Amino acid sequence: MRLFVGLGNPGSEYERNRHNLGFVVVNAIARRHDFRSWRRGYQGEIAEGTLNREKVVLLRPLTFMNESGRAVQEALHFFKLGPDAITVFHDEIELPPAKVRVKVGGGIAGHNGLRSISECIGNEYWRVRLGVGHPGLKELVHSYVLSDFPKIDWPWVKALVETIADDVGVLATDKASFQNKVHLAMELKGFDHESLARRHRIYRPE
């Protein structure tokens, strides 16, 4: 069994924020793979289904980003899972737009949702880091991640979310293969790293 967590803030005013990209992804997974309807539980909302014949529970914490760990911890204890069974989808300013990296453990790069989770369950859980670019200055980060994606970004955002939803079954069984499949699919859709870099002034290379 796997627990897939999408990070974001509850409320319609946050729906299109960069910081809510994790919510957008798990919503798309639920739709694409006909998960059961969302229901309240574990200080959040969950939807249950299967991916590649493996049971997966999707979780959207409703605790707001800075307290995401409380919801993850409660779900982890209920389902009797270890941290290695958890995968967290989150926005990542240290990656260029549309870049995806899959990793276990490591630093949190100032992400308050990850900080909260690590404080509650430790650091050895999986992360799917979803690049949104960097505003260039540290003092701009807070307003940047809590701002909506501009219109110019929505084509690649939608393509990335759809690609992840299509290929997420691989993530449950082969994380390295999942990352490669997403990158190849994005290149075929015309959203490779180089073309996006040319379109965006707000962008930080790895």
Side-chain angles (χ1 to χ4, degrees):
M1 179 180 168
R2 303 285 172 181
L3 178 66
F4 285 179
V5 182
L7 294 187
N9 288 307
S12 58
E13 66 270 35
Y14 300 108
E15 283 180 0
R16 290 176 170 262
N17 284 186
R18 293 179 177 91
H19 226 16
N20 270 46
L21 189 52
F23 270 18
V24 177
V25 166
V26 294
N27 287 343
I29 293 170
R31 289 193 303 270
R32 173 68 178 81
H33 297 278
D34 297 321
F35 275 51
R36 295 173 193 159
S37 298
W38 291 94
R39 62 182 177 85
R40 295 294 290 264
Y42 320 110
Q43 301 186 56
E45 294 176 324
I46 65 167
E48 300 178 64
T50 58
L51 297 170
N52 281 5
R53 295 192 292 269
E54 185 164 11
K55 182 177 179 180
V56 174
V57 176
L58 305 177
L59 171 65
R60 300 185 302 212
L62 297 180
T63 52
F64 285 93
M65 184 68 78
N66 293 2
E67 299 291 339
S68 299
R70 294 195 286 113
V72 174
Q73 184 178 46
E74 188 170 325
L76 180 148
H77 286 167
F78 180 84
F79 292 110
K80 296 180 173 59
L81 299 174
D84 62 337
I86 297 173
T87 300
V88 178
F89 296 84
H90 67 91
D91 59 299
E92 177 59 79
I93 61 171
E94 299 299 334
L95 291 177
K99 198 79 168 179
V100 174
R101 284 283 181 266
V102 181
K103 62 178 284 190
V104 63
I108 60 174
H111 196 290
N112 288 331
L114 297 182
R115 177 180 289 108
S116 176
I117 294 171
S118 293
E119 287 173 352
C120 289
I121 69 167
N123 205 39
E124 297 304 305
Y125 53 90
W126 288 92
R127 304 102 187 270
V128 178
R129 305 163 66 210
L130 309 168
V132 297
H134 194 287
L137 297 172
K138 184 177 180 180
E139 56 267 30
L140 298 178
V141 167
H142 181 76
S143 60
Y144 178 74
V145 297
L146 290 177
S147 295
D148 289 356
F149 283 104
K151 282 186 178 180
I152 191 175
D153 281 355
W154 274 107
W156 72 255
V157 172
K158 290 178 179 178
L160 180 63
V161 169
E162 289 170 1
T163 299
I164 290 172
D166 287 344
D167 295 329
V168 74
V170 179
L171 184 63
T173 54
D174 186 350
K175 292 177 174 59
S177 176
F178 167 78
Q179 181 175 294
N180 292 334
K181 284 176 72 70
V182 170
H183 287 163
L184 288 172
M186 289 296 284
E187 287 182 3
L188 288 173
K189 292 177 180 181
F191 296 107
D192 58 280
H193 174 58
E194 289 74 18
S195 65
L196 283 170
R198 288 194 295 269
R199 293 184 212 180
H200 292 78
R201 285 188 243 170
I202 297 177
Y203 150 72
R204 174 188 278 185
E206 294 179 72

